Amino acid sequence: MGNFGEEIRQLEEDFFVGRKMELDLFRNLVRSESTSHILNISGTGGIGKSSLLDQFQRICIHEGVPFFQMDCVDFTKTPTGFTSRLLAILKSEVAAEGREDALLQQAEEQLNHLGDMGRLVLAIDTYEEMDELDDWLRNSFLVRLSNRIVILLAGRFPLKGGWVSSPAWRRLITFMPLSPFDYETCKEYSSIYGVNDESFVRKSYTITKGHPLALSLFMGLHDQEQEPELILWTETFKEIAGRWLRENPDPILTELLEAATMLRVFNHEILESMLGREISNDAFEKLIHLSFVRKTVRGWYLHQVLRKTLYQDFRLRKPQVYHQLWQRSVEYHYGLISSNHVTMEERNLLLLDYIYVVGDPGFRAMFFEDTIDQLYYIESIHQENLHEAEQYVRDVLANLEDFVREMFDPVTNEKYIYKIPKAVNEKWFTSIILSEIITFGSDAIRLLKNEKHEAVGIFIYIPIHRDSLQLLEQNPITQSYFRILSKQERDKLNVSPESPAGWFQYKIDFSKDGSAAARFMFFQTYLSYYLKGGVMIYTTPMKYLQEAVKGIGYLEIPRATHNGFGPDFPAPVLVLDFREDKDMQKFVDNLYRSTKVDTKAKDHDAILSGLTPREREIALLVKICSTNDEIAQKLYLSEITVKKNLSRIYEKLEVKGKTELIKKLMS
């Protein structure tokens, strides 16, 4: 007699369609002799990577092969975060008080012990978020594992950098790029939903282009009796997702989804806190059983591509509701981070969520646009690839000009002008010698590369320890802070290179590619340094950059202002100190206090209080949309409906047109 678990596994297997070639390859891999192997699954968001991993796990259960899966959502991108999570999955008690080297040794010994008994699979999902740990995983972790362990790395992009530049590593990798379903697979998928009408299946294939997540949403929108010719909306995933949300017949489920879009990870409790009421178990079960909701050790999360799409749709359509939920989300995360009942790793994960929700608008505009549709990867600089970093600097210096970019806060849509005079950039790049900097640490210099493997950005963080102190005390840009330290304060920085006391955030440059996707990749790396602890030191003559980092808790150091960038560009020094828990809590408190002043929203509430919810939406969009047609597209309305609403808005607010309306909103 079977059990529920067996029946569920069988049903999940029955509902899985396509990917025969991939499944056959994996079966052969787990049945093969003990040779080292890395399988790299890649494909666009919603293409079915995680579903394929689930099917691989079912194959391993059938074959009697242990299968352990990690998701990058569940740990911070540090060696300690990775190994702690791995040991938890292995059900191994963490020893040695969480020391990095001890945890690494313990995780390797545990895995190798299991590998000695036969084939073993270790899978890492959402690998595109591992940039900070990519080199470490390859050069410090995998090299010590048994060759009986199969490594699965699943992410949006194929492995790049050191994985392919080294012939030895490349030889061990099988690349498995996933494509959309073909027509026959779409037909098979549709039959699971009881849809067998040939014309409807063909239309669904044409509209979704075989994209599995889009196809899943489409099947939830329409049934086979609907005339395909009545589908008038354009063939984009964004519109399919937006239409799915608006046409969902369950208003409670829609409300839960809207709240969930604002969170990286959610659970029953946080949704109740945000909505300010109890949520029935039945309603929550409906939410977590949607095809695009996945379980993680921290709770549940929406598929990344869908979450972004629904979030943008929700924020535009219901700005007042959005703002209220945002405030409650801040309150909830602040309470958790401030609690004495969370571990260091849990606090670090919460901090990543918290900075995103609370961060200064200018900071978000520069570094936190949740978009990574383009292919980028970050490569650490060592002696063998130093010439690439040096060439990047030569290129920048050969084409020096004032660097100017317009950027928008992804939450408020406010515009920020990012400008660096060429004289300042010249000082940044001519005041250091890259070959000297890389001797201080393996992650001191990193290049951002695009899909053509071209260097389009550079990241220079100088670790602070006994070997780097002399340079930091002499360099014209870094010296002012270190020269005012007391002997006692300096002694705290005179530490081993293996455990830096902190980092001097020397330069982030994306002058070759200022896209939101490139900036987001830098942001992920930027945050990783926070989680390492220590003191973070930054200096810049640019006022807006000073305000941006102050917005996330940096404090200006008295008497440390310097002229290292030139007499026309005095630059203060700003510091964020995480060397003690109380400093981290002070940082969290400062961010929390910054959210309590929201005069702009209150002013808008007062000005727009006499408008209907629809009129309010349109009035706020006038600030960021140049035409009525653009407003209509964002709200999925006709242009004539927008015009009629604008006429009523002008009358109620006693303004003569858009120009006066914008002035009133900006006043």
Side-chain angles (χ1 to χ4, degrees):
M1 181 179 292
N3 57 39
F4 277 111
E6 292 171 353
E7 187 170 351
I8 288 295
R9 282 194 294 272
Q10 186 59 53
L11 286 170
E12 287 176 334
E13 191 161 354
D14 292 342
F15 275 83
F16 187 88
V17 300
R19 312 297 187 201
K20 182 179 184 304
M21 182 179 70
E22 290 86 352
L23 297 177
D24 288 344
L25 187 153
F26 182 73
R27 285 191 187 93
N28 291 333
L29 191 58
V30 297
R31 292 170 180 168
S32 65
E33 296 298 319
S34 56
T35 56
S36 301
H37 206 94
I38 298 169
L39 183 59
N40 177 215
I41 306 166
S42 62
T44 186
I47 203 68
K49 298 181 294 294
S50 297
S51 297
L52 184 59
L53 284 182
D54 291 343
Q55 188 69 0
F56 285 170
Q57 184 173 23
R58 289 189 281 272
I59 289 173
C60 284
I61 291 171
H62 185 266
E63 297 287 337
V65 173
F67 184 99
F68 299 100
Q69 181 170 334
M70 304 176 69
D71 193 310
C72 291
V73 175
D74 293 332
F75 57 87
T76 54
K77 309 311 174 290
T78 63
T80 299
F82 178 89
T83 50
S84 297
R85 177 62 195 142
L86 178 56
L87 288 168
I89 291 172
L90 297 173
K91 296 180 168 47
S92 177
E93 185 176 347
V94 175
E97 299 180 351
R99 277 193 7 254
E100 182 178 311
D101 55 346
L103 288 173
L104 176 58
Q105 182 178 348
Q106 185 183 353
E108 289 169 346
E109 289 176 353
Q110 183 76 16
L111 275 176
N112 287 335
H113 174 70
L114 293 170
D116 288 342
M117 295 183 282
R119 266 301 196 202
L120 168 72
V121 176
L122 174 62
I124 304 176
D125 200 4
T126 332
Y127 193 78
E128 68 270 12
E129 295 187 13
M130 278 282 282
D131 281 292
E132 168 64 15
L133 274 188
D134 185 66
D135 278 350
W136 174 87
L137 184 83
R138 183 174 59 254
N139 298 320
S140 299
F141 181 72
L142 294 184
V143 290
R144 304 180 189 181
L145 295 188
S146 164
N147 61 4
R148 289 191 172 189
I149 300 174
V150 176
I151 305 298
L152 300 188
L153 304 178
R156 296 182 67 186
F157 312 120
L159 294 174
K160 298 294 181 184
W163 296 102
V164 294
S165 62
S166 162
W169 280 108
R170 192 167 61 243
R171 184 175 177 274
L172 301 180
I173 301 170
T174 296
F175 292 95
M176 186 180 282
L178 300 185
S179 302
F181 290 158
D182 58 21
Y183 177 72
E184 290 303 318
T185 305
C186 284
K187 189 174 180 179
E188 183 183 355
Y189 184 87
S190 301
S191 68
I192 294 174
Y193 284 81
V195 178
N196 298 300
D197 180 83
E198 187 79 22
S199 64
F200 184 84
V201 173
R202 190 166 296 281
K203 188 69 176 181
S204 69
Y205 175 65
T206 301
I207 287 177
T208 65
K209 297 179 174 61
H211 185 279
L213 181 55
L215 189 64
S216 170
L217 292 174
F218 186 85
M219 289 298 165
L221 267 177
H222 300 282
D223 58 51
Q224 58 187 331
E225 296 180 1
Q226 181 177 3
E227 289 292 332
E229 288 73 24
L230 297 180
I231 302 171
L232 302 177
W233 30 287
T234 57
E235 302 168 8
T236 66
F237 176 80
K238 179 179 179 181
E239 297 206 11
I240 293 174
R243 185 75 174 263
W244 185 92
L245 183 64
R246 290 189 300 280
E247 294 190 6
N248 177 35
D250 187 338
I252 295 177
L253 182 59
T254 297
E255 188 179 27
L256 295 183
L257 266 173
E258 289 172 342
T261 64
M262 304 180 67
L263 305 162
R264 287 180 66 206
V265 179
F266 66 86
N267 55 37
H268 201 146
E269 179 183 277
I270 191 172
L271 291 182
E272 286 187 331
S273 176
M274 289 177 66
L275 294 172
R277 61 175 176 77
E278 288 188 4
I279 298 168
S280 71
N281 289 332
D282 287 345
F284 188 76
E285 287 291 319
K286 281 185 181 179
L287 174 64
I288 63 176
H289 281 95
L290 291 170
S291 63
F292 47 80
V293 175
R294 294 193 62 83
K295 181 75 170 69
T296 174
V297 67
R298 298 176 62 202
W300 290 262
Y301 65 94
L302 300 183
H303 191 286
Q304 182 185 21
V305 176
L306 185 69
R307 181 181 71 83
K308 179 187 173 187
T309 299
L310 297 183
Y311 166 82
Q312 291 174 334
D313 184 78
F314 167 51
R315 183 165 54 84
L316 283 170
R317 289 187 300 106
K318 300 180 180 179
Q320 285 181 295
V321 176
Y322 165 85
H323 182 74
Q324 184 180 55
L325 294 184
W326 174 79
Q327 290 278 18
R328 290 175 179 173
S329 175
V330 170
E331 297 276 351
Y332 182 87
H333 282 95
Y334 175 72
L336 281 184
I337 296 174
S338 302
S339 169
N340 294 322
H341 305 296
V342 294
T343 66
M344 178 71 74
E345 176 67 7
E346 289 171 335
R347 187 192 67 179
N348 286 344
L349 284 167
L350 287 167
L351 182 62
L352 295 180
D353 300 335
Y354 189 64
I355 290 175
Y356 173 62
V357 173
V358 180
D360 174 83
F363 184 82
R364 287 195 303 256
M366 280 186 286
F367 294 118
F368 218 144
E369 173 64 33
D370 191 7
T371 303
I372 48 175
D373 294 331
Q374 295 161 263
L375 172 56
Y376 294 97
Y377 61 97
I378 290 177
E379 187 174 298
S380 294
I381 298 301
H382 310 285
Q383 190 62 46
E384 53 272 21
N385 60 352
L386 173 62
H387 64 279
E388 294 187 60
E390 291 176 332
Q391 184 60 53
Y392 180 92
V393 172
R394 284 194 292 270
D395 291 345
V396 170
L397 293 175
N399 298 282
L400 266 182
E401 57 183 20
D402 290 347
F403 176 68
V404 181
R405 287 285 190 281
E406 285 188 357
M407 300 176 188
F408 294 85
D409 176 8
V411 174
T412 66
N413 279 314
E414 290 183 73
K415 182 170 73 174
Y416 292 82
I417 304 297
Y418 186 92
K419 181 178 179 180
I420 302 177
K422 63 180 181 180
V424 172
N425 256 339
E426 184 175 21
K427 285 290 185 180
W428 252 317
F429 283 115
T430 57
S431 297
I432 58 169
I433 301 172
L434 298 188
S435 59
E436 187 174 13
I437 300 300
I438 62 169
T439 65
F440 299 139
S442 60
D443 49 4
I445 303 175
R446 289 171 174 165
L447 285 179
L448 180 71
K449 293 188 172 182
N450 61 19
E451 58 189 351
K452 298 178 182 178
H453 312 298
E454 300 167 331
V456 294
I458 197 167
F459 192 103
I460 305 173
Y461 262 38
I462 305 174
I464 303 169
H465 50 67
R466 63 182 177 227
D467 293 347
S468 63
L469 272 176
Q470 184 176 358
L471 176 141
L472 291 167
E473 290 169 339
Q474 295 175 354
N475 181 279
I477 290 176
T478 65
Q479 65 182 1
S480 67
Y481 172 77
F482 296 92
R483 289 189 173 184
I484 65 169
L485 295 179
S486 66
K487 183 180 183 303
Q488 183 180 15
E489 290 171 328
R490 189 190 185 281
D491 287 345
K492 290 181 180 179
L493 305 179
N494 191 27
V495 298
S496 165
E498 284 73 37
S499 301
W503 306 84
F504 196 104
Q505 303 166 206
Y506 187 83
K507 177 63 172 171
I508 296 176
D509 181 81
F510 41 82
S511 56
K512 287 189 176 183
D513 186 341
S515 69
R519 298 198 311 273
F520 180 70
M521 291 296 286
F522 274 124
F523 182 80
Q524 287 188 306
T525 304
Y526 185 90
L527 281 183
S528 70
Y529 287 88
Y530 284 67
L531 305 183
K532 295 177 181 180
V535 58
M536 313 294 291
I537 306 170
Y538 180 64
T539 184
T540 176
M542 306 293 98
K543 290 286 186 184
Y544 64 94
L545 289 174
Q546 296 165 18
E547 293 306 314
V549 297
K550 285 179 180 178
I552 58 168
Y554 281 69
L555 300 176
E556 185 173 335
I557 302 300
R559 301 182 295 109
T561 298
H562 62 91
N563 290 311
F565 295 102
D568 297 329
F569 302 103
V573 175
L574 302 112
V575 170
L576 186 61
D577 197 336
F578 280 169
R579 285 177 288 186
E580 296 184 23
D581 279 348
K582 64 180 182 180
D583 297 319
M584 174 70 82
Q585 187 59 48
K586 187 187 300 181
F587 167 66
V588 171
D589 291 342
N590 286 341
L591 285 179
Y592 180 67
R593 280 193 291 272
S594 74
T595 70
K596 308 309 287 184
V597 181
D598 195 6
T599 56
K600 184 171 290 188
K602 291 177 181 177
D603 290 344
H604 281 170
D605 287 341
I607 293 170
L608 306 178
S609 59
L611 304 183
T612 67
R614 172 64 75 197
E615 289 167 350
R616 180 188 172 89
E617 288 176 341
I618 291 173
L620 291 173
L621 283 174
V622 166
K623 291 171 59 181
I624 60 172
C625 296
S626 56
T627 66
N628 291 344
D629 181 57
E630 193 176 345
I631 296 173
Q633 289 182 29
K634 286 184 179 293
L635 296 178
Y636 303 97
L637 300 173
S638 67
E639 189 173 357
I640 192 167
T641 300
V642 172
K643 288 180 179 178
K644 288 179 180 178
N645 276 277
L646 280 173
S647 295
R648 290 194 291 269
I649 291 168
Y650 299 153
E651 184 178 350
K652 290 180 179 181
L653 298 184
E654 299 179 345
V655 295
K656 294 180 180 179
K658 283 185 180 178
T659 302
E660 288 191 12
L661 174 59
I662 292 171
K663 286 182 179 178
K664 190 160 190 171
L665 290 173
M666 298 293 286
S667 63

